[in-house]
PDB file of all heavy atoms in Angstrom:
ATOM      1  N   PHE A 311       0.756  -6.182   1.019  1.00 98.00           N
ATOM      2  CA  PHE A 311       0.583  -4.998   0.237  1.00 98.00           C
ATOM      3  C   PHE A 311      -0.822  -4.426   0.546  1.00 98.00           C
ATOM      4  O   PHE A 311      -1.734  -5.173   0.682  1.00 98.00           O
ATOM      5  CB  PHE A 311       0.654  -5.252  -1.279  1.00 98.00           C
ATOM      6  CG  PHE A 311       2.048  -5.444  -1.836  1.00 98.00           C
ATOM      7  CD1 PHE A 311       2.691  -6.665  -1.679  1.00 98.00           C
ATOM      8  CD2 PHE A 311       2.676  -4.434  -2.515  1.00 98.00           C
ATOM      9  CE1 PHE A 311       3.965  -6.857  -2.138  1.00 98.00           C
ATOM     10  CE2 PHE A 311       4.006  -4.622  -2.988  1.00 98.00           C
ATOM     11  CZ  PHE A 311       4.644  -5.856  -2.841  1.00 98.00           C
ATOM     12  N   THR A 312      -0.904  -3.108   0.647  1.00 99.00           N
ATOM     13  CA  THR A 312      -2.188  -2.528   0.945  1.00 99.00           C
ATOM     14  C   THR A 312      -2.463  -1.426  -0.073  1.00 99.00           C
ATOM     15  O   THR A 312      -1.531  -0.805  -0.598  1.00 99.00           O
ATOM     16  CB  THR A 312      -2.281  -1.913   2.408  1.00 99.00           C
ATOM     17  OG1 THR A 312      -1.239  -0.980   2.533  1.00 99.00           O
ATOM     18  CG2 THR A 312      -2.134  -3.022   3.394  1.00 99.00           C
ATOM     19  N   ILE A 313      -3.735  -1.116  -0.305  1.00 98.00           N
ATOM     20  CA  ILE A 313      -4.169  -0.093  -1.206  1.00 98.00           C
ATOM     21  C   ILE A 313      -5.123   0.869  -0.487  1.00 98.00           C
ATOM     22  O   ILE A 313      -5.668   0.529   0.550  1.00 98.00           O
ATOM     23  CB  ILE A 313      -4.856  -0.647  -2.471  1.00 98.00           C
ATOM     24  CG1 ILE A 313      -6.091  -1.497  -2.029  1.00 98.00           C
ATOM     25  CG2 ILE A 313      -3.887  -1.524  -3.283  1.00 98.00           C
ATOM     26  CD1 ILE A 313      -6.916  -2.043  -3.215  1.00 98.00           C
ATOM     27  N   GLY A 314      -5.245   2.088  -1.003  1.00 98.00           N
ATOM     28  CA  GLY A 314      -6.180   3.036  -0.482  1.00 98.00           C
ATOM     29  C   GLY A 314      -6.533   4.098  -1.455  1.00 98.00           C
ATOM     30  O   GLY A 314      -6.004   4.141  -2.552  1.00 98.00           O
ATOM     31  N   LYS A 315      -7.436   4.979  -1.042  1.00 98.00           N
ATOM     32  CA  LYS A 315      -7.850   6.095  -1.922  1.00 98.00           C
ATOM     33  C   LYS A 315      -6.639   7.081  -2.112  1.00 98.00           C
ATOM     34  O   LYS A 315      -6.617   7.838  -3.052  1.00 98.00           O
ATOM     35  CB  LYS A 315      -9.030   6.826  -1.406  1.00 98.00           C
ATOM     36  CG  LYS A 315      -8.887   7.503  -0.061  1.00 98.00           C
ATOM     37  CD  LYS A 315     -10.206   8.210   0.311  1.00 98.00           C
ATOM     38  CE  LYS A 315     -10.097   9.055   1.601  1.00 98.00           C
ATOM     39  NZ  LYS A 315      -9.800   8.153   2.838  1.00 98.00           N
ATOM     40  N   ASP A 316      -5.737   7.129  -1.184  1.00 98.00           N
ATOM     41  CA  ASP A 316      -4.527   7.891  -1.312  1.00 98.00           C
ATOM     42  C   ASP A 316      -3.445   7.195  -0.403  1.00 98.00           C
ATOM     43  O   ASP A 316      -3.736   6.126   0.144  1.00 98.00           O
ATOM     44  CB  ASP A 316      -4.725   9.314  -0.879  1.00 98.00           C
ATOM     45  CG  ASP A 316      -5.375   9.459   0.521  1.00 98.00           C
ATOM     46  OD1 ASP A 316      -5.145   8.605   1.378  1.00 98.00           O
ATOM     47  OD2 ASP A 316      -6.030  10.462   0.792  1.00 98.00           O
ATOM     48  N   ALA A 317      -2.257   7.744  -0.366  1.00 98.00           N
ATOM     49  CA  ALA A 317      -1.203   7.093   0.366  1.00 98.00           C
ATOM     50  C   ALA A 317      -1.484   6.958   1.833  1.00 98.00           C
ATOM     51  O   ALA A 317      -1.209   5.919   2.436  1.00 98.00           O
ATOM     52  CB  ALA A 317       0.113   7.835   0.117  1.00 98.00           C
ATOM     53  N   ARG A 318      -2.035   7.980   2.438  1.00 98.00           N
ATOM     54  CA  ARG A 318      -2.337   7.917   3.867  1.00 98.00           C
ATOM     55  C   ARG A 318      -3.346   6.781   4.165  1.00 98.00           C
ATOM     56  O   ARG A 318      -3.180   6.017   5.142  1.00 98.00           O
ATOM     57  CB  ARG A 318      -2.922   9.271   4.357  1.00 98.00           C
ATOM     58  CG  ARG A 318      -3.221   9.277   5.836  1.00 98.00           C
ATOM     59  CD  ARG A 318      -3.738  10.687   6.277  1.00 98.00           C
ATOM     60  NE  ARG A 318      -4.081  10.667   7.674  1.00 98.00           N
ATOM     61  CZ  ARG A 318      -3.153  10.806   8.639  1.00 98.00           C
ATOM     62  NH1 ARG A 318      -1.922  10.963   8.345  1.00 98.00           N
ATOM     63  NH2 ARG A 318      -3.557  10.779   9.916  1.00 98.00           N
ATOM     64  N   ASP A 319      -4.331   6.649   3.319  1.00 98.00           N
ATOM     65  CA  ASP A 319      -5.338   5.580   3.526  1.00 98.00           C
ATOM     66  C   ASP A 319      -4.663   4.220   3.406  1.00 98.00           C
ATOM     67  O   ASP A 319      -4.985   3.284   4.146  1.00 98.00           O
ATOM     68  CB  ASP A 319      -6.423   5.770   2.453  1.00 98.00           C
ATOM     69  CG  ASP A 319      -7.661   4.887   2.740  1.00 98.00           C
ATOM     70  OD1 ASP A 319      -8.032   4.777   3.912  1.00 98.00           O
ATOM     71  OD2 ASP A 319      -8.264   4.433   1.781  1.00 98.00           O
ATOM     72  N   ALA A 320      -3.701   4.059   2.475  1.00 98.00           N
ATOM     73  CA  ALA A 320      -3.066   2.787   2.307  1.00 98.00           C
ATOM     74  C   ALA A 320      -2.089   2.524   3.503  1.00 98.00           C
ATOM     75  O   ALA A 320      -1.942   1.364   3.910  1.00 98.00           O
ATOM     76  CB  ALA A 320      -2.237   2.763   0.996  1.00 98.00           C
ATOM     77  N   VAL A 321      -1.478   3.563   4.009  1.00 98.00           N
ATOM     78  CA  VAL A 321      -0.637   3.341   5.233  1.00 98.00           C
ATOM     79  C   VAL A 321      -1.520   2.942   6.403  1.00 98.00           C
ATOM     80  O   VAL A 321      -1.172   2.039   7.175  1.00 98.00           O
ATOM     81  CB  VAL A 321       0.141   4.676   5.546  1.00 98.00           C
ATOM     82  CG1 VAL A 321       0.796   4.588   6.946  1.00 98.00           C
ATOM     83  CG2 VAL A 321       1.210   4.940   4.530  1.00 98.00           C
ATOM     84  N   LYS A 322      -2.684   3.561   6.583  1.00 98.00           N
ATOM     85  CA  LYS A 322      -3.530   3.137   7.651  1.00 98.00           C
ATOM     86  C   LYS A 322      -3.910   1.660   7.461  1.00 98.00           C
ATOM     87  O   LYS A 322      -3.894   0.900   8.461  1.00 98.00           O
ATOM     88  CB  LYS A 322      -4.806   3.971   7.585  1.00 98.00           C
ATOM     89  CG  LYS A 322      -5.843   3.501   8.677  1.00 98.00           C
ATOM     90  CD  LYS A 322      -7.230   4.054   8.322  1.00 98.00           C
ATOM     91  CE  LYS A 322      -8.253   3.472   9.339  1.00 98.00           C
ATOM     92  NZ  LYS A 322      -9.659   3.729   8.951  1.00 98.00           N
TER      93      LYS A 322
END
Side-chain angles (χ1 to χ4, degrees):
F311 282 79
T312 58
I313 59 175
K315 64 180 184 294
D316 54 27
R318 181 177 179 82
D319 194 37
V321 169
K322 178 198 174 191

